[in-house]
Structures are given as C-alpha cells and as structure tokens.
Amino acid sequence: MSYFTFRGETLHAEDVAVSDIAAEHGTPCYIYSRAALEASFLAYGDALAGTDHLVCYAVKANSSLAVLDVLARLGAGFDIVSGGELERVLAAGGDPAKVVFSGVSKTADEMARALDLGIHCFNLESEGELEALNCVAAEKACVAPVSIRVNPDVDAKTHPYISTGLKENKFGLAIDEALAVYQRAAQMNHVEVVGLDCHIGSQLTDITPFIDTLHRLLELVDRLADIGITIKHLDLGGGLGVTYRDEQPPSVADYMDEVRRVLGDRPLKLLFEPGRSIAANAGILVMRTEYLKSTADHHFAIVDAAMNDMLRPALYQAWMDIQPVQRRSGGHLTTWDIVGPVCETGDFLGKGRELSLSQGDLLAMFGAGAYGFVMSSNYNSRPRAAEVMVDGTAVHLVRRRETLEDLLRGETTLTES
Ligand SMILES: *Cc1c(COP(=O)(O)O)cnc(C)c1O
C-alpha cells in the first residue's frame, strides 16, 4: 500500500495535498509519511512473531531525528555505522541497549562512547578492530559484546556499488579468517562473543542469496560450537529490495518464512538491519520546474532539485519514478530529461520521461525516503532541502531548509593582514 496517492488529479501525502506542503515549506522538499514508516517497520515484527528477534533499522538509510523518533516509539533497534549516528539515535529517544554498531572502522572514541551507553553488540570487521575494542573495554574494566561480520562470498546480483558480500569487497572477513578471529576473541578478557553477522548488499530482489548466506553462516555456527564458542544471535543484515519501477522483491513475510524454515528449531535469536525496505517508499522529493529548454535533439526540464539533493541517479544510475503533483488530462506529452542546476553533466534526476509539463509545475520523485536526504551535500553552495513529516492531516516541519548563513557557518577567511 502506498501512502502517497492521487486523489482525483492531486497527489497527496497521507491526507494532505502535496501542493499545500510545497506552498508552505517551499521546494525542493522531502516529505515523509509516518504511517508508511510504521507499516514497513511493523511488517518485520509481524513476520517474526513468535521468534526471538530484534529489528535494527539501518540509520544510514535515513537518519532524520523524526524518522528515528517514529521508529523508536515502536520499540525499534538501530544499526549504526558511526558515533554521529549513535548520538542521533539517543537524541531521538532510541534505546542504546538495542543498538548494533556496524562499519569497517570504528574509532577508539566511538567504541568508548558505545561501551558507556551499553550497546547491544559491536559488529567487528577485522582482527585490528577486535584488538582495539578489547583495549578500550579493558581501560573501562568492562566486557564488550561482539559479533564478527562474515563475508560469505555470495553474489547479491545488485549494483556493484551496493554489493558487499563478495570476497573482493572491503567488508567483513572470509569464513575461514573469521574462525581464527573468533578463536582470538574467545581468549580475550574484555570481549564476549555473542553473535555472527553479515550484510551482503542492498536492493536485493531475490531471496536466494540471503538463504545461501544463511546456510553458510549456520555451517560456521556449527564449526564454532565444535570448538566451544557459542553463538547466541545471528544478524542477517539488511538489503531487502523495494519497487522503484517494476522490480518485484520478495515480501518481508516470504523472506522471513524462508529464514525460519531453514533455521528450524535452532536456539538462535534473529537480528535484521533493514534500511531501504523501511524508508524508501515512505518518502518523496518534491521539486519545481524552473525552466523548459529544448535543444536540437533533447528536451530538458530544469528543476530546483539536483544531484546534491538526490544522488542516486548520478551515483548508481538509479531509475526513480517522477510524476507531476497535479495531473493534467489531455496534455501534450513530450520526452523530458529532468535535470538540476548543478554544473555537472551527471546532474540528472530522470531521463527520457514522457510527461506533459509547463514551467512552474511541481514534480514528485517517488521512493526517495532512503538514501536521499542523507546523501545530500552543499555542492555548488546549495542549501540543503527542507524535510517534512506528514501524520494523517498534520504536517510537521522536521528540518528547516538551510539558509545561506548555515552555508558559511564555521568558516573564516585568513586572519593575517
Ligand atoms: C547499509 C547497511 C544496511 C542497510 O541496508 P539496506 O539495503 O538499506 O537495507 C544494513 N547493515 C549494514 C551493515 C549496512 O552497511
């Protein structure tokens, strides 16, 4: 079900006309739906009912405080990849005891803060990280809960930039290396082995790579048990795909049913780290058409959003659906390249779109709730967009648009004369 739907000819976010939000808060503007976030998060809990589990939303997909707040109220755990994300989770009211800390390179300061807060688990990616964490925990005379991220060498069959489970990737440790690192961990006084984790990639539209991975992880759990190391939880990462165009990813329910079937009655707690599948279709990016420009063989619709606001088309050649906020019946269709004002040929949001467009029209990009605002920058000295959360008929401005003053904050010219 979508929470961004046309009522008559007018696009709504839940019960609010998108054009009303644009009139009040300007463009470009990200709009999130609280109900959509809740529904996609709760789908995991429903599918895992009766199984010991923790769903840790991957903060990097969309780290707005309001998004984290909505999920924290539902009892979500959080998967973080930096100390900054940890502070966001705290500021939004998230429970640190439900935080897992991922990422290839956690600093000693980040480890110390996470230990003080008593996070659920450190997902370690190298022996170096394990040694460092043991030292930090020793200084605090405490014991750090750890899991090792394994790289199962499974092809997630997704875009190379978002595929992370092949042996040539920088992420995780090969299964045999992991075994040795687990043995090392078991000898340490200030870490406790609690889990085993992986994350093989993003935007997966097939269950098979997940299940192949699960089988490989279970083999490792058994090998570890043989040498006296008990794994209490299995963290299968995130990665479930969403529909941007015509992809048909498995439902959360189908994926979880298959996982539970393979797991059988093993006494393992299940963790997941979904990001995209929770946030992507809970957000749109609204923009206004500034100019229409035609060259010998192209029609360009130049909009006020750009690659600095939404990087996915430029970075991943991602196809994102773009539709007028106000549908016009019987309009003349033209094939448009929808581009931003940034001085880069790679600055496009959509190519070859058949639309009936006039200067000043509002457009909405769908599926923009994940890996959208979080990847935005100030390139070309463009202030970042406003973010709004809709909840039924209520509209909350959850991040005001940046000002030109914000752009210069923290900078100085040379002070010498
Ligand atoms: C990015 C990431 C996720 C979330 O991936 P999605 O494809 O957005 O679900 C989960 N875990 C780790 C370690 C990640 O790096």
Side-chain angles (χ1 to χ4, degrees):
M1 152 165 199
S2 175
Y3 294 84
F4 299 95
T5 53
F6 283 91
R7 297 190 183 172
E9 303 300 307
T10 307
L11 181 63
H12 281 66
E14 298 193 21
D15 297 327
V16 186
V18 166
S19 52
D20 289 348
I21 299 172
E24 182 165 358
H25 298 291
T27 52
C29 175
Y30 277 93
I31 301 176
Y32 308 125
S33 154
R34 177 178 185 174
L37 282 167
E38 291 181 336
S40 54
F41 178 78
L42 292 173
Y44 278 86
D46 289 348
L48 287 163
T51 300
D52 190 13
H53 71 273
L54 179 62
V55 180
C56 297
Y57 167 68
V59 174
K60 79 174 194 282
N62 183 328
S63 58
S64 285
L65 290 187
V67 169
L68 304 182
D69 176 11
V70 164
L71 298 175
R73 286 168 199 255
L74 299 177
F78 295 95
D79 169 51
I80 59 164
V81 293
S82 72
E85 288 190 348
L86 180 54
E87 298 309 320
R88 284 185 170 275
V89 168
L90 290 181
D95 179 358
K98 293 182 181 172
V99 165
V100 296
F101 198 160
S102 299
V104 282
S105 179
K106 301 155 199 79
T107 67
D109 285 347
E110 288 174 327
M111 290 172 175
R113 176 76 172 138
L115 281 172
D116 287 343
L117 292 165
I119 68 163
H120 190 65
C121 190
F122 291 84
N123 292 344
L124 302 179
E125 300 213 16
S126 63
E127 183 158 5
E129 271 199 332
L130 173 66
E131 302 286 348
L133 181 60
N134 190 51
C135 284
V136 175
E139 277 166 30
K140 294 184 175 295
C142 67
V143 176
V146 303
S147 88
I148 307 288
R149 176 168 173 178
V150 161
N151 186 335
D153 195 24
V154 163
D155 187 354
K157 298 196 171 58
T158 185
H159 188 282
Y161 284 11
I162 49 178
S163 181
T164 54
L166 282 169
K167 60 179 183 302
E168 64 257 34
N169 294 124
K170 71 177 175 184
F171 299 102
L173 289 169
I175 291 205
D176 289 329
E177 289 167 339
L179 195 76
V181 176
Y182 269 113
Q183 281 177 300
R184 175 83 189 99
Q187 298 160 349
M188 290 175 163
N189 290 326
H190 294 280
V191 299
E192 185 198 356
V193 171
V194 293
L196 169 59
D197 85 286
C198 72
H199 171 71
I200 57 171
S202 200
Q203 185 53 14
L204 273 71
T205 52
D206 183 7
I207 292 184
T208 313
F210 288 123
I211 299 304
D212 289 350
T213 297
L214 178 56
H215 284 294
R216 290 183 194 187
L217 295 189
L218 289 175
E219 276 169 34
L220 180 55
V221 168
D222 292 340
R223 284 168 73 185
L224 289 167
D226 288 344
I227 55 173
I229 297 173
T230 308
I231 297 297
K232 295 181 193 151
H233 79 240
L234 215 49
D235 178 345
L236 294 180
L240 189 61
V242 301
T243 302
Y244 289 108
R245 189 177 197 172
D246 50 13
E247 305 90 334
Q248 293 182 321
S251 68
V252 170
D254 288 349
Y255 173 27
M256 295 304 145
D257 282 352
E258 194 59 18
V259 168
R260 292 208 289 195
R261 194 185 59 74
V262 173
L263 209 61
D265 53 9
R266 283 173 179 264
L268 282 166
K269 180 175 180 170
L270 277 178
L271 268 62
F272 292 90
E273 304 167 350
R276 189 189 308 272
S277 57
I278 287 179
N281 284 316
I284 61 173
L285 171 61
V286 182
M287 59 198 98
R288 192 175 291 281
T289 312
E290 296 283 353
Y291 299 104
L292 301 177
K293 170 177 170 175
S294 293
T295 62
D297 47 18
H298 267 86
H299 300 289
F300 293 102
I302 305 170
V303 296
D304 61 2
M307 65 188 287
N308 76 294
D309 299 299
M310 165 49 80
L311 191 58
R312 298 193 69 255
L315 184 62
Y316 309 120
Q317 295 80 46
W319 189 97
M320 312 281 288
D321 192 19
I322 300 174
Q323 296 293 332
V325 164
Q326 188 68 42
R327 279 184 185 156
R328 213 181 286 125
S329 51
H332 175 69
L333 290 179
T334 304
T335 304
W336 298 100
D337 282 359
I338 297 164
V339 302
V342 163
C343 303
E344 295 278 350
T345 302
D347 180 29
F348 64 90
L349 298 172
K351 287 185 173 173
R353 305 305 171 89
E354 294 263 309
L355 297 170
S356 163
L357 271 188
S358 302
Q359 193 170 332
D361 282 357
L362 289 172
L363 294 173
M365 174 189 275
F366 293 84
Y371 306 106
F373 185 91
V374 282
M375 295 178 105
S376 65
S377 75
N378 293 121
Y379 188 39
N380 279 208
S381 284
R382 290 168 49 82
R384 279 179 296 178
E387 292 177 284
V388 164
M389 173 90 65
V390 172
D391 181 6
T393 56
V395 177
H396 305 277
L397 177 66
V398 296
R399 192 184 208 272
R400 64 164 174 77
R401 181 177 309 286
E402 283 183 341
T403 62
L404 296 174
E405 232 170 38
D406 291 332
L407 283 183
L408 304 186
R409 196 178 50 206
E411 289 188 56
T412 58
T413 54
L414 301 183
T415 47
E416 72 223 53
S417 52

